[in-house]
Amino acid sequence: MGMSEPRSVFGYPLSIFFIVINEFCERFSYYGMKALLILYFTRFIGWDDNLSTAVYHSFVALCYLTPILGALIADSWLGKFKTIVSLSIVYTIGQAVTAVSSINDLSDFDHDGTPNNIALHVALSMIGLALIALGTGGIKPCVSAFGGDQFEEGQEKQRNRFFSIFYLAINAGSLLSTIITPILRVQECGIHSKQACYPLAFGVPAALMAVALIVFVLGSSMYKKFQPQGNIMEKVVKCIGFAIKNRFRHRSKEFPKREHWLDWAKEKYDERLISQIKMVTKVMFLYIPLPMFWALFDQQGSRWTLQATTMSGKIGIIEIQPDQMQTVNAILIVIMVPIVDTVVYPLIAKCGFNFTSLKKMTVGMFLASMAFVAAAIVQVEIDKTLPVFPKGNEVQIKVLNIGNDNMTIYFPEETVHLVQLSQTNIFRTFDVDKLTSINISSAGSAVTPVTHNFQVGHRHTLLVWDPNHYQVVKDGLNQKPEKGKNGVRFVNAFGEESFNATMDGKVYTNVTSHNASIYQFFPSGMKNITLSSSEIPGNCNNTFTSSLSFGSAYTYVIIKKGDGCPELKEFEDISPNSVSMALQIPQYFLLTCGEVVFSVTGLEFSYSQAPSNMKSVLQAGWLLTVAVGNIIVLIVAGAGQFSEQWAEYILFASLLLVVSIIFAIMARFYTYINPAEIEAQFDEDEKKKKPENLYSTLEPTSQSQM
């Protein structure tokens, strides 16, 4: 320690402001890159959705497994400061390599806008991602523990507040980057051919990581740095191994029992180490149920976003896209952390309730469980509005009369009359084996049978026109359009020639007479439609507008008006989503409250209960629960496909509820300790080394000081 008295601001060591700014930049950098990754894989490298998702999840899991490596390096070899600096350099290089891998002109020798040597880009991006995973994971457990190290004894209150500010920085960084990075991506850039600017979008996070590193190094003279104490992990493993072996050797009745199984290591290891390992194993044991919380928490990005795609993004005057709902979590965190810290906790304390760390974590798990109950309720509401699609051996048929006569359609058990330019508003469902015959006719014409091989599990549209012509079209839509988009197709009832239609930049070519095009998909908003055909008289208007909302499908029939000009008549195939995305706010609110009381407390608890030489190791243990949670999701989602989505939500909610009850019971038996006090006690005993001064029991510290 060069300085006698560390400088302080508002009662906090000045050095932690550098650490918080560093964390903010690092998280901005990480989330900014992560937000792009899936699009980069699918659009630039050209992988399919499944492969991209698998690589993406493996990368995320890797980022939460590498903290163990970082913690080991920090606690036993380089110390936290040097670990953070050296791994940040690795991290910055990784970001730079990933940015370079997305430069199209790197291998685009013929300047056509697509890379010629895709393997080079894949190899570079994989090297980049591996370095990033090592960097981000490696510094994660060290940064929070290093921040905790900056506080003196007796600054527990400020230290707890630091962990809250730290968590706030994480979320402010992720919030800003999820908003800013997509804006950078849509910029166009390139030397020979212009295209979406991935190098810029990956380059900004890389630059920010360099800033984070510089900010961190600038604070160097102010930090309290602890020397690492030899290879601590090796000692821990050997000591535990010896205790188990020794216990096994003395398993017969004649040997007296010992208070704790680790006491069997006393013959070979000193009591200080044994007591430190006891602290760690006690906390690690408590961690066993925690991954279940993360398993629910991490579904915001997947399941909940998919739920949003079946909802309407119109909230008042603003329109939001389904994948923007995730930012609600980060926004709420930035609001809730200060409120919980300065209002809720003090109020609870005033009421005389001792709200200990583990009680907070239990409440957090309960809230997350309730969030999934809320999600299930929303899902049931959505299910009421969803159209029924054919299952198994069923087919669905809708009739659309595109002629000028009234038509009659004879189904096996009912007869339908349709006036000109009208449709049956529902799809009728038939079992394919019972669909013996369909006949059509119009006034004064013969009855014509419809002969068509209907494909099971699909919707079909039967186009009819006078006197008894028909055409069967397979819709190809057997679910709501993905990502809240809208399906649109055109039917040509104008004349004999074929039509081309352009809508919002997408082209429908050669829609033949009395036939339907395939569906193409569009996001919400106002769209322009342009029709072109040799049959349209020159003086006609051929542009139309239509307004789309979310998750609908329409058929636009092109008809001829009296003056020979075209007109569009709109028919609804799938009604737009009607349940508002605002209904997701309660579940996001519950989950965020759960996260605030669970996650911030967990960071702080892991730090306060760890012996001084294993602070990073316990932070890594905490991050490991996140990794395991991610793996649970992959397993559960892969194993059981529920026919009802709400049932899956309820299953997760009840699993977490059971786990939180188990955790509450485990927490009852946990006694809080103050590692610094216990270690000071050992120091004192070593000084005196007189047998009468050995305290066999240590006063447990009261929770109010913690």
Side-chain angles (χ1 to χ4, degrees):
M1 289 290 302
M3 300 161 65
S4 53
E5 191 51 45
R7 278 182 268 173
S8 68
V9 184
F10 312 124
Y12 295 89
L14 185 60
S15 52
I16 71 148
F17 292 98
F18 287 91
I19 295 171
V20 167
I21 292 170
N22 166 277
E23 181 66 11
F24 170 82
C25 295
E26 191 274 325
R27 291 286 85 190
F28 185 106
S29 169
Y30 172 74
Y31 284 106
M33 185 225 50
K34 198 173 129 184
L36 279 179
L37 218 44
I38 207 104
L39 289 171
Y40 174 65
F41 288 159
T42 49
R43 294 184 188 169
F44 186 91
I45 296 181
W47 288 341
D48 65 6
D49 284 3
N50 292 341
L51 179 60
S52 303
T53 313
V55 175
Y56 173 81
H57 276 295
S58 317
F59 170 70
V60 174
L62 193 61
C63 287
Y64 283 100
L65 290 170
T66 47
I68 296 163
L69 207 62
L72 294 184
I73 297 173
D75 277 352
S76 57
W77 179 36
L78 288 177
K80 300 188 191 84
F81 178 77
K82 284 184 185 153
T83 306
I84 295 171
V85 173
S86 48
L87 285 177
S88 292
I89 294 171
V90 170
Y91 191 167
T92 313
I93 295 169
Q95 292 268 31
V97 170
T98 310
V100 170
S101 83
S102 69
I103 298 175
N104 176 43
D105 296 303
L106 199 63
S107 73
D108 183 13
F109 308 120
D110 50 10
H111 309 324
D112 62 350
T114 50
N116 296 39
N117 179 0
I118 207 78
L120 172 71
H121 293 273
V122 174
L124 277 175
S125 64
M126 290 304 114
I127 294 168
L129 288 178
L131 292 174
I132 290 172
L134 179 63
T136 182
I139 67 180
K140 242 196 208 95
C142 307
V143 178
S144 50
F146 188 65
D149 283 351
Q150 304 309 311
F151 294 89
E152 305 289 324
E153 256 314 277
Q155 283 194 308
E156 278 80 9
K157 217 172 133 197
Q158 284 94 326
R159 191 179 68 205
N160 294 359
R161 181 64 52 86
F162 158 73
F163 281 108
S164 293
I165 298 171
F166 185 78
Y167 207 74
L168 205 77
I170 292 179
N171 283 280
S174 81
L175 174 64
L176 279 171
S177 71
T178 36
I179 295 168
I180 293 169
T181 324
I183 299 172
L184 296 174
R185 191 191 81 244
V186 294
Q187 306 299 326
E188 301 264 302
C189 66
I191 305 169
H192 300 290
S193 57
K194 296 272 178 249
Q195 52 163 225
C197 201
Y198 289 103
L200 175 67
F202 280 131
V204 168
L208 254 171
M209 196 51 227
V211 171
L213 176 59
I214 293 164
V215 165
F216 186 71
V217 174
L218 282 179
S220 175
S221 62
M222 297 175 213
Y223 301 138
K224 278 169 66 177
K225 300 172 191 167
F226 292 106
Q227 283 312 307
Q229 305 166 1
N231 190 347
I232 190 73
M233 229 30 220
E234 192 183 354
K235 277 191 214 155
V236 171
V237 173
K238 281 187 176 160
C239 179
I240 292 176
F242 178 74
I244 293 170
K245 226 164 40 197
N246 203 19
R247 168 80 184 86
F248 191 70
R249 261 192 235 128
H250 300 89
R251 61 186 178 281
S252 69
K253 289 276 184 288
E254 72 231 40
F255 298 105
K257 284 221 174 0
R258 295 189 185 177
E259 203 180 320
H260 190 287
W261 61 274
L262 274 166
D263 293 337
W264 288 95
K266 274 187 184 155
E267 279 85 339
K268 204 167 157 189
Y269 293 90
D270 68 331
E271 293 210 12
R272 172 187 294 240
L273 181 71
I274 292 173
S275 79
Q276 288 174 334
I277 296 175
K278 281 182 191 169
M279 299 176 203
V280 173
T281 51
K282 269 171 59 178
V283 177
M284 287 294 199
F285 174 67
L286 270 183
Y287 281 173
I288 296 170
L290 302 188
M292 203 60 222
F293 173 89
W294 296 114
L296 272 75
F297 181 79
D298 283 329
Q299 290 189 48
Q300 300 179 86
S302 48
R303 285 277 183 262
W304 285 14
T305 306
L306 287 174
Q307 184 184 54
T309 63
T310 59
M311 305 171 81
S312 163
K314 265 191 157 45
I315 300 179
I317 46 170
I318 51 169
E319 268 198 13
I320 51 176
Q321 295 305 324
D323 52 354
Q324 290 173 320
M325 274 307 284
Q326 286 173 61
T327 52
V328 170
N329 169 256
I331 294 168
L332 281 172
I333 282 262
V334 174
I335 300 168
M336 291 302 298
V337 169
I339 291 177
V340 168
D341 234 32
T342 55
V343 181
V344 181
Y345 290 160
L347 271 177
I348 294 174
K350 270 221 170 67
C351 300
F353 179 68
N354 185 9
F355 202 27
T356 60
S357 296
L358 295 175
K359 283 181 191 160
K360 289 176 189 170
M361 288 164 77
T362 312
V363 169
M365 289 163 102
F366 176 75
L367 287 169
S369 168
M370 290 305 101
F372 267 66
V373 173
I377 294 169
V378 171
Q379 192 62 47
V380 170
E381 281 306 305
I382 294 171
D383 289 347
K384 286 181 194 162
T385 67
L386 287 180
V388 180
F389 291 100
K391 291 185 284 290
N393 213 23
E394 297 172 341
V395 293
Q396 288 184 338
I397 301 172
K398 170 174 98 163
V399 190
L400 176 55
N401 180 359
I402 55 172
N404 299 324
D405 287 4
N406 298 347
M407 305 283 289
T408 306
I409 297 90
Y410 306 95
F411 287 113
E413 301 202 340
E414 61 177 323
T415 303
V416 179
H417 300 286
L418 283 181
V419 298
Q420 58 176 358
L421 282 176
S422 69
Q423 68 169 351
T424 55
N425 284 328
I426 52 163
F427 277 87
R428 286 178 166 66
T429 306
F430 299 97
D431 188 308
V432 115
D433 308 323
K434 301 206 176 76
L435 188 58
T436 44
S437 67
I438 305 175
N439 295 297
I440 58 167
S441 72
S442 60
S445 81
V447 173
T448 304
V450 171
T451 53
H452 182 80
N453 204 355
F454 289 97
Q455 194 179 334
V456 293
H458 277 280
R459 293 185 150 192
H460 300 76
T461 303
L462 171 59
L463 302 174
V464 295
W465 65 98
D466 35 69
N468 47 15
H469 297 299
Y470 71 89
Q471 170 83 17
V472 179
V473 180
K474 183 182 116 181
D475 283 16
L477 273 186
N478 45 13
Q479 60 176 44
K480 275 264 196 188
E482 286 184 342
K483 296 183 182 149
K485 289 186 171 176
N486 303 276
V488 172
R489 65 175 173 181
F490 290 89
V491 168
N492 177 359
F494 187 82
E496 300 309 312
E497 294 292 314
S498 68
F499 261 72
N500 283 354
T502 307
M503 177 163 176
D504 199 30
K506 291 191 179 176
V507 185
Y508 298 79
T509 48
N510 292 342
V511 185
T512 52
S513 175
H514 298 108
N515 210 340
S517 71
I518 56 162
Y519 282 102
Q520 300 205 54
F521 299 94
F522 305 89
S524 62
M526 288 296 293
K527 307 292 172 207
N528 285 329
I529 302 169
T530 312
L531 302 176
S532 64
S533 162
S534 57
E535 279 188 291
I536 302 178
N539 57 350
C540 290
N541 163 39
N542 63 344
T543 55
F544 304 87
T545 57
S546 86
S547 161
L548 299 172
S549 55
F550 294 83
S552 63
Y554 291 101
T555 300
Y556 289 127
V557 180
I558 308 166
I559 55 170
K560 193 182 276 185
K561 292 193 299 197
D563 58 2
C565 286
E567 189 182 14
L568 286 182
K569 196 150 168 58
E570 176 185 285
F571 292 99
E572 184 180 279
D573 301 332
I574 294 176
S575 57
N577 302 342
S578 52
V579 181
S580 166
M581 281 185 207
L583 276 190
Q584 276 196 322
I585 292 174
Q587 73 209 45
Y588 273 104
F589 178 73
L590 283 166
L591 192 61
T592 304
C593 291
E595 182 191 355
V596 171
V597 291
F598 180 85
S599 205
V600 180
T601 314
L603 278 176
E604 184 266 310
F605 173 80
S606 306
Y607 184 87
S608 72
Q609 298 299 296
S612 59
N613 55 353
M614 303 186 205
K615 300 282 191 200
S616 303
V617 172
L618 263 192
Q619 293 287 329
W622 170 252
L623 292 165
L624 190 62
T625 63
V626 183
V628 176
N630 261 311
I631 294 163
I632 293 177
V633 177
L634 286 175
I635 294 168
V636 172
Q641 282 302 328
F642 283 80
S643 53
E644 299 294 345
Q645 183 58 53
W646 63 264
E648 186 181 307
Y649 289 148
I650 292 290
L651 172 80
F652 273 113
S654 35
L655 279 175
L656 186 58
L657 198 59
V658 171
V659 167
S660 65
I661 292 165
I662 294 170
F663 182 73
I665 296 165
M666 286 163 65
R668 288 280 314 129
F669 295 104
Y670 184 85
T671 39
Y672 292 88
I673 51 162
N674 183 339
E677 230 166 80
I678 295 175
E679 283 168 13
Q681 188 68 51
F682 275 112
D683 290 343
E684 219 161 279
D685 295 346
E686 270 164 30
K687 267 190 219 140
K688 298 180 180 167
K689 270 285 183 269
K690 290 195 188 120
E692 66 267 23
N693 289 332
L694 271 175
Y695 298 106
S696 54
T697 56
L698 294 160
E699 287 296 301
T701 51
S702 70
Q703 175 61 21
S704 60
Q705 294 170 335
M706 301 238 357

